[in-house]
Structures are given as structure tokens and as C-alpha cells.
């Protein structure tokens, strides 16, 4: 029997203590576009068709509320629910109708390390999707620090993810032709490593980096070109110490891609990427990721029904 699979990382919801400050940052500096507000939650889009890629809500503590994956249709949502349940997930909702802009059907659950996930279909997306220089297109990937990488890997396999590469530090997982849209680390705690936004090209990554520097957010890691995925990168710390990345040129792969191993992904001394321009990431961005947590109850989609 064919496994059901999610087909994209659609959006994330972030809880912030100062919503005005984060809204200003993600619109005027990070260059997303507002598409509306409902019940105090602000929705922001990139240039791709997804209705929104980031939603911001005021919360007592800063944290990631949930990540949202896109499924093709209701049958796929039901298939994914069955797979995630069979994996052994205990904290999970039944698939049920949703209200726009969240989609028309979906469910929420917690992965084995407590991260909140929603699977949705039928979102009314935008008719326009042309690239615009210097504006993020969509989310590229989420990198998650894990205490139990094997358990997390198994849970994402239940969502249809496939392994693309493995290094000594990470497993890189894909659900479409992008080399990865989820990265899971071999760490000692379940926190966020960083959130990456896809720019249209290298020039836009650098223009975005310049705009960040102009606004008091220095480059915390980069510029560089990663090994696995071959994507270019600049990392920053945004408001409330949110670890974020501008990236571009992600390698496109299919099932013929040979899964890399830690033995193959080794760098010469001093190198941390393909170019060798930058050193390792700053302590600030590493700590920002290690301290960034998921909220407790973000798997519940009550408000969306
Ligand atoms: Fe990244």
C-alpha cells in the first residue's frame, strides 16, 4: 500500500510577548506582507501562493505554537492520521472540518518530543505567486534540535518524510523535490534550532542581509553554502531571540538521490561549508535556538473549527 505523505511545509505560528514589535519586524524588515488579522492573530504571506506562511499571536511567553504541513486532499489527511496514530501518537485530534484561512479539513497532534503539528488541506491560497526580488517566497525548512532523534525520525516518516542525507549532527528529511524541509538534530533537548525562509536567489539573500544589518541585526552565521542541500545561507536573531535564516538555491532531488552518510559529509579543518568565507555560527544564534521552545497546547485546532 502506498504511504500517504504531506507535500509541503506550509506555515508556522509564533507566539510573541510584544506583537507590535514582531509585526513591524516581519513586515518592514524581513519583508513579508500582511494579509489580515483575526482574533488578535496576524497573518503574513510570502510571494508564493500559500495564504500565509507565518502567523503571530500574543502569548505570555515567546515560543513556537505549531508547524503546519499541507496535504493534497481529505483522503490524504485521513491516511496521514491513520499512519500517525499507528506510529503510536497519543496526543492527537480526529480529522475534522476547519475554517479558512486554515483550510477546510485537518487535525493536530504532538510529535514524540512535544512539538505541535497541524496537517491541513483545502486552504484557499492566493491566485498570484510571482517571485519578487528581495522578498521571501515561502518557508524553506525548519531545523529542530532533538533529544531522541530516532523517535522524531520515525514520527516524521509517519507523515511520509524520506531521508535525503545524514551527517554527524543532522538528518535531512524531504516531502517533495526540495532536498529538505525538515532537519532533525542529534542533541540533548527538544528545542528549535532555526526557521529558514526561502529567497528567490543569492542576490536577494544578500540584499536581505544588508537590510537586517541596517536594522541592527548582524549576520550571526554566513554567508555560506551548506553541504547537504547546497543552499546558500545567512542566519540572524530576530525580535525575542527568534533564530531565523534567509536561504536560497536549495538542491532539487528525487528518489534516485544517493543518501549521504556522516563519513561522506566531512569538512577539511576550519571549514564549515562549501565556500569557507565564514566561521562557525555565533554563540548567540546557537543559544537562541537552544532556548526556543514549543508551547504546550498548540496542537489543538479548536479556534480553527
Ligand atoms: Fe537552515
Amino acid at each position: 500500500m502506498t504511504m500517504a505523505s504531506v507535500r509541503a511545509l506550509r506555515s508556522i505560528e509564533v507566539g510573541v510577548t510584544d506583537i507590535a514589535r514582531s509585526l513591524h519586524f516581519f513586515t518592514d524588515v524581513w519583508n513579508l506582507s500582511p494579509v489580515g488579522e483575526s482574533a488578535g492573530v496576524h497573518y503574513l504571506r510570502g510571494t508564493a501562493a500559500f495564504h500565509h506562511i507565518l502567523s503571530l499571536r500574543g502569548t505570555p511567553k515567546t515560543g513556537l505554537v505549531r508547524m503546519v504541513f499541507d496535504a493534497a486532499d481529505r483522503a490524504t489527511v485521513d491516511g496521514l492520521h491513520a499512519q500517525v496514530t499507528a506510529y503510536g501518537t497519543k496526543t492527537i485530534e480526529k480529522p475534522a472540518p476547519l475554517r479558512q484561512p486554515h483550510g477546510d479539513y485537518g487535525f493536530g497532534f504532538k510529535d514524540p518530543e512535544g512539538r505541535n503539528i497541524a496537517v491541513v488541506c483545502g486552504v484557499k491560497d492566493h491566485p498570484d505567486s510571482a517571485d519578487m526580488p528581495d522578498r521571501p517566497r515561502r518557508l524553506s525548512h525548519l531545523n529542530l534540535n532533538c533529544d531522541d532523534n530516532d523517535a522524531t525520525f520515525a514520527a516524521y516518516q509517519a507523515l511520509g518524510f524520506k531521508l535525503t542525507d545524514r551527517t554527524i549532527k543532522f538528518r535531512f528529511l524531504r516531502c517533495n523535490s526540495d532536498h529538505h524541509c525538515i532537519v532533525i538534530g542529534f542533541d540533548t533537548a527538544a528545542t528549535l534550532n532555526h526557521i529558514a525562509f526561502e529567497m528567490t536567489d543569492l542576490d536577494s539573500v544578500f540584499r536581505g542581509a544588508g537590510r537586517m544589518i541596517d536594522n541592527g541585526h548582524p549576520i550571526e552565521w554566513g554567508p555560506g553554502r551548506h553541504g547537504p542541500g547546497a543552499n546558500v545561507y545567512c542566519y540572524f536573531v530576530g525580535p525575542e531571540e527568534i533564530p531565523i535564516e534567509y536561504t536560497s538555491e536549495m538542491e532539487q532531488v528525487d528518489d534516485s538521490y544517493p543518501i549521504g552518510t556522516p563519513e561522506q559529509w566531512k569538512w577539511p579543518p576550519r571549514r564549515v561549508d562549501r565556500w569557507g568565507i565564514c566561521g562557525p555560527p555565533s554563540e548567540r544564534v546557537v543559544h537562541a535556538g537552544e532556548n526556543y521552545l514549543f508551547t504546550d497546547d498548540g496542537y489543538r485546532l479548536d479556534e480553527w473549527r
Side-chain angles (χ1 to χ4, degrees), residues 162-164 174 176-179 251-259:
K162 294 176 177 175
L163 180 67
T164 314
R174 72 179 185 280
N176 53 40
S177 62
D178 284 351
H179 178 279
E251 185 173 1
Q252 298 298 295
V253 303
D254 59 23
D255 288 349
S256 67
Y257 183 87
I259 300 170

Side-chain angles (χ1 to χ4, degrees), residues 256-272:
S256 67
Y257 183 87
I259 300 170
T261 65
E263 294 70 37
Q264 292 168 317
W265 287 115
K266 278 192 175 150
W267 299 113
R270 195 192 68 78
R271 281 295 187 94
V272 293

Side-chain angles (χ1 to χ4, degrees), residues 4-230:
S5 176
V6 297
R7 60 180 183 180
L9 171 63
R10 171 173 272 285
S11 63
I12 49 166
E13 183 156 310
V14 172
V16 293
T17 60
D18 183 342
I19 198 156
R21 182 172 169 230
S22 283
L23 197 54
H24 160 69
F25 170 79
F26 279 108
T27 53
D28 298 336
V29 182
W30 200 245
N31 254 0
L32 302 179
S33 302
V35 286
E37 177 266 334
S38 173
V41 180
H42 293 259
Y43 298 92
L44 305 172
R45 70 172 289 191
T47 58
F50 289 142
H51 176 270
H52 59 276
I53 61 171
L54 172 67
S55 51
L56 295 170
R57 71 163 58 226
T59 46
K61 271 174 62 179
T62 303
L64 203 53
V65 179
R66 68 176 69 80
M67 43 191 157
V68 182
F69 294 109
D70 191 61
D73 50 35
R74 290 186 176 217
T76 307
V77 170
D78 288 339
L80 287 164
H81 184 267
Q83 289 168 198
V84 172
T85 303
Y87 160 75
T89 302
K90 297 282 184 290
T91 309
I92 185 167
E93 299 181 317
K94 285 194 168 61
L98 304 175
R99 280 184 294 116
Q100 300 294 340
H102 307 292
D104 61 22
Y105 191 66
F107 67 96
F109 70 102
K110 272 189 176 294
D111 82 6
E113 296 201 307
R115 304 176 193 90
N116 305 310
I117 296 176
V119 175
V120 304
C121 70
V123 183
K124 284 198 165 60
D125 286 329
H126 301 284
D128 59 305
S129 60
D131 284 346
M132 294 167 72
D134 204 11
R135 285 192 175 270
R137 190 183 273 154
R138 58 187 172 94
L139 293 175
S140 167
H141 57 275
L142 294 179
N143 186 317
L144 308 168
N145 295 328
C146 302
D147 180 29
D148 189 340
N149 188 291
D150 288 344
T152 301
F153 180 40
Y156 288 80
Q157 284 179 303
L159 285 172
F161 278 92
K162 294 176 177 175
L163 180 67
T164 314
D165 265 312
R166 180 173 169 167
T167 66
I168 196 163
K169 285 185 177 174
F170 301 111
R171 279 180 166 125
F172 296 81
L173 311 181
R174 72 179 185 280
C175 67
N176 53 40
S177 62
D178 284 351
H179 178 279
H180 59 271
C181 71
I182 291 290
V183 183
I184 54 175
F186 294 89
D187 307 286
T188 54
T191 62
L192 175 67
N193 188 297
H194 65 270
I195 304 162
F197 293 75
E198 182 184 285
M199 288 296 225
T200 52
D201 54 23
L202 181 60
D203 190 66
S204 294
V205 170
F206 285 169
R207 285 178 184 275
R211 193 172 53 255
M212 287 291 281
I213 291 166
D214 287 345
N215 284 275
H217 300 276
I219 298 174
E220 303 289 345
W221 189 26
R225 186 183 286 281
H226 285 304

